[in-house]
Every structure is written in structure tokens, then in C-alpha cells.
Amino acid sequence: MIEKDFYFLAGLPRAGSTALASILNQNPKIYVTPTSALLNLLEYNEHGWITNPSVIANKVPEQIYNISEAIINGIWDHIDRPIIIDKCRGWVNHLQTAEVIFRKKPN
């Protein structure tokens, strides 16, 4: 289970996403990440998983979700705020992936 509420922030250069992040970070319940590696880590995990011979031989589909959730819970675990806004331009092109991994429609 994903322990914090995750939202996504993706914007074009010079569109104001950094200014928006600064404003949102003033709320003690919200943490807006600097440009985040979360999406890349999830992609690397999935690629490694689907190409691993041991996984291919003994596939347990739930394991990839468990590992993905552990990455999500771990990456910003040191932040003591219940809402994480993950800033990465790549989320725009991966909304379906986010829906599968987070098991809900992306915000």
C-alpha cells in the first residue's frame, strides 16, 4: 500500500512550475519534489523485471507491484509530509503507467 498521497507536476520549461512548487511547499502538509527520479526508477525496475530470466521462469505478477510500491514509499520516506507532489516532465507521457502502479487515476 502506498503510504502518502502522490500527485504529479509536469510543466514545460519557463511555464512556472518551479514558482508553483515554491508556493505549494509553503504548506506544511505538502512537499513538492525537485525534479524527481521516481518515474525513471520505476521504469528501470519494470525493464529489469520483465527481462530477468529468473522472473520469466517463475512469474508472479504481484511481485512487480510490491517492488514498485516499495520504491514509491521509499523514495520520499525521509519527508515528513503526507502529500507528495512529484515533479517530472515525463509523467505527462506515462499517465497510464501511473494509473497501473498507483492503482488509481493520476491527479
mmCIF file of all heavy atoms in Angstrom, residues 74-96:
data_model
loop_
_atom_site.group_PDB
_atom_site.id
_atom_site.type_symbol
_atom_site.label_atom_id
_atom_site.label_comp_id
_atom_site.label_asym_id
_atom_site.label_seq_id
_atom_site.Cartn_x
_atom_site.Cartn_y
_atom_site.Cartn_z
ATOM 1 N N GLY A 74 9.620 4.384 -0.486
ATOM 2 C CA GLY A 74 10.972 4.649 -0.008
ATOM 3 C C GLY A 74 11.588 5.935 -0.496
ATOM 4 O O GLY A 74 12.351 6.570 0.230
ATOM 5 N N ILE A 75 11.268 6.364 -1.702
ATOM 6 C CA ILE A 75 11.992 7.491 -2.286
ATOM 7 C C ILE A 75 11.812 8.786 -1.498
ATOM 8 O O ILE A 75 12.742 9.565 -1.339
ATOM 9 C CB ILE A 75 11.657 7.677 -3.778
ATOM 10 C CG1 ILE A 75 12.643 8.656 -4.416
ATOM 11 C CG2 ILE A 75 10.217 8.117 -3.970
ATOM 12 C CD1 ILE A 75 12.623 8.675 -5.919
ATOM 13 N N TRP A 76 10.652 9.035 -0.978
ATOM 14 C CA TRP A 76 10.402 10.264 -0.214
ATOM 15 C C TRP A 76 10.027 9.960 1.233
ATOM 16 O O TRP A 76 9.409 10.770 1.899
ATOM 17 C CB TRP A 76 9.331 11.121 -0.898
ATOM 18 C CG TRP A 76 9.737 11.517 -2.281
ATOM 19 C CD1 TRP A 76 9.138 11.125 -3.450
ATOM 20 C CD2 TRP A 76 10.848 12.328 -2.660
ATOM 21 N NE1 TRP A 76 9.805 11.645 -4.522
ATOM 22 C CE2 TRP A 76 10.860 12.388 -4.068
ATOM 23 C CE3 TRP A 76 11.833 13.009 -1.951
ATOM 24 C CZ2 TRP A 76 11.826 13.106 -4.772
ATOM 25 C CZ3 TRP A 76 12.797 13.716 -2.674
ATOM 26 C CH2 TRP A 76 12.775 13.758 -4.054
ATOM 27 N N ASP A 77 10.445 8.801 1.738
ATOM 28 C CA ASP A 77 10.136 8.423 3.113
ATOM 29 C C ASP A 77 10.749 9.384 4.141
ATOM 30 O O ASP A 77 10.203 9.576 5.215
ATOM 31 C CB ASP A 77 10.621 6.995 3.381
ATOM 32 C CG ASP A 77 10.168 6.484 4.732
ATOM 33 O OD1 ASP A 77 8.947 6.527 4.994
ATOM 34 O OD2 ASP A 77 11.027 6.055 5.524
ATOM 35 N N HIS A 78 11.850 9.996 3.795
ATOM 36 C CA HIS A 78 12.518 10.923 4.716
ATOM 37 C C HIS A 78 11.782 12.259 4.837
ATOM 38 O O HIS A 78 12.114 13.070 5.694
ATOM 39 C CB HIS A 78 13.962 11.175 4.261
ATOM 40 C CG HIS A 78 14.064 11.847 2.929
ATOM 41 N ND1 HIS A 78 13.801 11.193 1.738
ATOM 42 C CD2 HIS A 78 14.372 13.123 2.606
ATOM 43 C CE1 HIS A 78 13.963 12.035 0.739
ATOM 44 N NE2 HIS A 78 14.313 13.226 1.232
ATOM 45 N N ILE A 79 10.778 12.480 4.024
ATOM 46 C CA ILE A 79 9.981 13.703 4.080
ATOM 47 C C ILE A 79 8.774 13.447 4.978
ATOM 48 O O ILE A 79 7.987 12.534 4.734
ATOM 49 C CB ILE A 79 9.511 14.133 2.666
ATOM 50 C CG1 ILE A 79 10.711 14.379 1.747
ATOM 51 C CG2 ILE A 79 8.604 15.348 2.738
ATOM 52 C CD1 ILE A 79 11.649 15.476 2.188
ATOM 53 N N ASP A 80 8.628 14.255 6.008
ATOM 54 C CA ASP A 80 7.559 14.072 6.988
ATOM 55 C C ASP A 80 6.338 14.919 6.633
ATOM 56 O O ASP A 80 5.898 15.750 7.429
ATOM 57 C CB ASP A 80 8.081 14.416 8.391
ATOM 58 C CG ASP A 80 7.102 14.018 9.476
ATOM 59 O OD1 ASP A 80 6.318 13.081 9.245
ATOM 60 O OD2 ASP A 80 7.115 14.652 10.551
ATOM 61 N N ARG A 81 5.836 14.734 5.434
ATOM 62 C CA ARG A 81 4.618 15.429 4.988
ATOM 63 C C ARG A 81 3.728 14.394 4.306
ATOM 64 O O ARG A 81 4.230 13.527 3.586
ATOM 65 C CB ARG A 81 4.956 16.566 4.035
ATOM 66 C CG ARG A 81 5.806 17.651 4.697
ATOM 67 C CD ARG A 81 6.026 18.807 3.774
ATOM 68 N NE ARG A 81 6.952 19.776 4.362
ATOM 69 C CZ ARG A 81 7.170 20.968 3.855
ATOM 70 N NH1 ARG A 81 6.539 21.354 2.764
ATOM 71 N NH2 ARG A 81 8.018 21.791 4.434
ATOM 72 N N PRO A 82 2.426 14.461 4.497
ATOM 73 C CA PRO A 82 1.537 13.422 3.970
ATOM 74 C C PRO A 82 1.255 13.522 2.462
ATOM 75 O O PRO A 82 0.814 12.565 1.852
ATOM 76 C CB PRO A 82 0.247 13.624 4.761
ATOM 77 C CG PRO A 82 0.259 15.070 5.149
ATOM 78 C CD PRO A 82 1.706 15.424 5.345
ATOM 79 N N ILE A 83 1.533 14.673 1.863
ATOM 80 C CA ILE A 83 1.247 14.871 0.442
ATOM 81 C C ILE A 83 2.548 15.133 -0.291
ATOM 82 O O ILE A 83 3.303 16.043 0.054
ATOM 83 C CB ILE A 83 0.271 16.045 0.226
ATOM 84 C CG1 ILE A 83 -1.058 15.765 0.923
ATOM 85 C CG2 ILE A 83 0.064 16.310 -1.261
ATOM 86 C CD1 ILE A 83 -1.999 16.954 0.972
ATOM 87 N N ILE A 84 2.798 14.332 -1.311
ATOM 88 C CA ILE A 84 3.984 14.488 -2.140
ATOM 89 C C ILE A 84 3.519 14.863 -3.547
ATOM 90 O O ILE A 84 2.675 14.183 -4.137
ATOM 91 C CB ILE A 84 4.801 13.176 -2.216
ATOM 92 C CG1 ILE A 84 5.227 12.702 -0.826
ATOM 93 C CG2 ILE A 84 5.991 13.338 -3.161
ATOM 94 C CD1 ILE A 84 6.227 13.562 -0.123
ATOM 95 N N ILE A 85 4.078 15.931 -4.069
ATOM 96 C CA ILE A 85 3.827 16.296 -5.464
ATOM 97 C C ILE A 85 5.131 16.033 -6.200
ATOM 98 O O ILE A 85 6.130 16.724 -5.994
ATOM 99 C CB ILE A 85 3.371 17.757 -5.603
ATOM 100 C CG1 ILE A 85 2.071 17.967 -4.823
ATOM 101 C CG2 ILE A 85 3.190 18.107 -7.084
ATOM 102 C CD1 ILE A 85 1.548 19.391 -4.827
ATOM 103 N N ASP A 86 5.125 14.997 -7.015
ATOM 104 C CA ASP A 86 6.327 14.549 -7.709
ATOM 105 C C ASP A 86 6.470 15.344 -9.005
ATOM 106 O O ASP A 86 5.622 15.274 -9.888
ATOM 107 C CB ASP A 86 6.226 13.044 -7.994
ATOM 108 C CG ASP A 86 7.555 12.458 -8.376
ATOM 109 O OD1 ASP A 86 8.344 12.163 -7.462
ATOM 110 O OD2 ASP A 86 7.806 12.317 -9.584
ATOM 111 N N LYS A 87 7.557 16.096 -9.099
ATOM 112 C CA LYS A 87 7.787 16.976 -10.249
ATOM 113 C C LYS A 87 8.677 16.279 -11.267
ATOM 114 O O LYS A 87 9.840 15.986 -11.002
ATOM 115 C CB LYS A 87 8.442 18.275 -9.778
ATOM 116 C CG LYS A 87 8.643 19.290 -10.876
ATOM 117 C CD LYS A 87 9.284 20.547 -10.314
ATOM 118 C CE LYS A 87 9.632 21.508 -11.434
ATOM 119 N NZ LYS A 87 10.461 22.607 -10.953
ATOM 120 N N CYS A 88 8.105 15.987 -12.432
ATOM 121 C CA CYS A 88 8.847 15.336 -13.508
ATOM 122 C C CYS A 88 8.059 15.521 -14.802
ATOM 123 O O CYS A 88 6.873 15.154 -14.867
ATOM 124 C CB CYS A 88 9.039 13.856 -13.204
ATOM 125 S SG CYS A 88 9.832 12.929 -14.527
ATOM 126 N N ARG A 89 8.695 16.069 -15.817
ATOM 127 C CA ARG A 89 8.002 16.282 -17.100
ATOM 128 C C ARG A 89 7.513 14.976 -17.712
ATOM 129 O O ARG A 89 6.552 14.954 -18.458
ATOM 130 C CB ARG A 89 8.934 16.973 -18.089
ATOM 131 C CG ARG A 89 9.178 18.395 -17.752
ATOM 132 C CD ARG A 89 9.958 19.086 -18.848
ATOM 133 N NE ARG A 89 10.366 20.387 -18.343
ATOM 134 C CZ ARG A 89 11.603 20.829 -18.339
ATOM 135 N NH1 ARG A 89 12.564 20.089 -18.841
ATOM 136 N NH2 ARG A 89 11.878 22.009 -17.854
ATOM 137 N N GLY A 90 8.171 13.881 -17.398
ATOM 138 C CA GLY A 90 7.842 12.595 -18.001
ATOM 139 C C GLY A 90 6.484 12.033 -17.627
ATOM 140 O O GLY A 90 5.944 11.190 -18.346
ATOM 141 N N TRP A 91 5.911 12.483 -16.510
ATOM 142 C CA TRP A 91 4.618 11.922 -16.089
ATOM 143 C C TRP A 91 3.542 12.143 -17.145
ATOM 144 O O TRP A 91 2.638 11.322 -17.280
ATOM 145 C CB TRP A 91 4.176 12.515 -14.756
ATOM 146 C CG TRP A 91 4.897 11.966 -13.575
ATOM 147 C CD1 TRP A 91 5.679 12.651 -12.694
ATOM 148 C CD2 TRP A 91 4.917 10.607 -13.116
ATOM 149 N NE1 TRP A 91 6.185 11.809 -11.724
ATOM 150 C CE2 TRP A 91 5.726 10.541 -11.964
ATOM 151 C CE3 TRP A 91 4.333 9.423 -13.589
ATOM 152 C CZ2 TRP A 91 5.952 9.364 -11.271
ATOM 153 C CZ3 TRP A 91 4.558 8.241 -12.877
ATOM 154 C CH2 TRP A 91 5.363 8.221 -11.748
ATOM 155 N N VAL A 92 3.616 13.222 -17.898
ATOM 156 C CA VAL A 92 2.599 13.513 -18.918
ATOM 157 C C VAL A 92 2.479 12.355 -19.904
ATOM 158 O O VAL A 92 1.384 11.993 -20.322
ATOM 159 C CB VAL A 92 2.935 14.826 -19.662
ATOM 160 C CG1 VAL A 92 2.010 15.046 -20.838
ATOM 161 C CG2 VAL A 92 2.872 16.000 -18.700
ATOM 162 N N ASN A 93 3.606 11.769 -20.261
ATOM 163 C CA ASN A 93 3.611 10.659 -21.229
ATOM 164 C C ASN A 93 3.409 9.295 -20.586
ATOM 165 O O ASN A 93 3.402 8.291 -21.280
ATOM 166 C CB ASN A 93 4.932 10.653 -22.006
ATOM 167 C CG ASN A 93 5.108 11.901 -22.826
ATOM 168 O OD1 ASN A 93 4.156 12.422 -23.383
ATOM 169 N ND2 ASN A 93 6.321 12.402 -22.885
ATOM 170 N N HIS A 94 3.267 9.252 -19.273
ATOM 171 C CA HIS A 94 3.162 7.968 -18.567
ATOM 172 C C HIS A 94 1.975 7.924 -17.609
ATOM 173 O O HIS A 94 2.037 7.278 -16.571
ATOM 174 C CB HIS A 94 4.460 7.687 -17.814
ATOM 175 C CG HIS A 94 5.621 7.445 -18.715
ATOM 176 N ND1 HIS A 94 6.399 8.465 -19.201
ATOM 177 C CD2 HIS A 94 6.106 6.307 -19.259
ATOM 178 C CE1 HIS A 94 7.333 7.960 -19.987
ATOM 179 N NE2 HIS A 94 7.171 6.653 -20.038
ATOM 180 N N LEU A 95 0.902 8.583 -17.964
ATOM 181 C CA LEU A 95 -0.264 8.601 -17.079
ATOM 182 C C LEU A 95 -0.887 7.217 -16.929
ATOM 183 O O LEU A 95 -1.350 6.859 -15.849
ATOM 184 C CB LEU A 95 -1.286 9.623 -17.561
ATOM 185 C CG LEU A 95 -0.835 11.081 -17.437
ATOM 186 C CD1 LEU A 95 -1.889 12.020 -18.007
ATOM 187 C CD2 LEU A 95 -0.525 11.436 -15.997
ATOM 188 N N GLN A 96 -0.886 6.428 -17.995
ATOM 189 C CA GLN A 96 -1.420 5.056 -17.888
ATOM 190 C C GLN A 96 -0.549 4.217 -16.959
ATOM 191 O O GLN A 96 -1.065 3.441 -16.158
ATOM 192 C CB GLN A 96 -1.514 4.395 -19.259
ATOM 193 C CG GLN A 96 -2.729 4.827 -20.041
ATOM 194 C CD GLN A 96 -2.862 4.010 -21.310
ATOM 195 O OE1 GLN A 96 -1.930 3.933 -22.106
ATOM 196 N NE2 GLN A 96 -4.017 3.401 -21.493
#
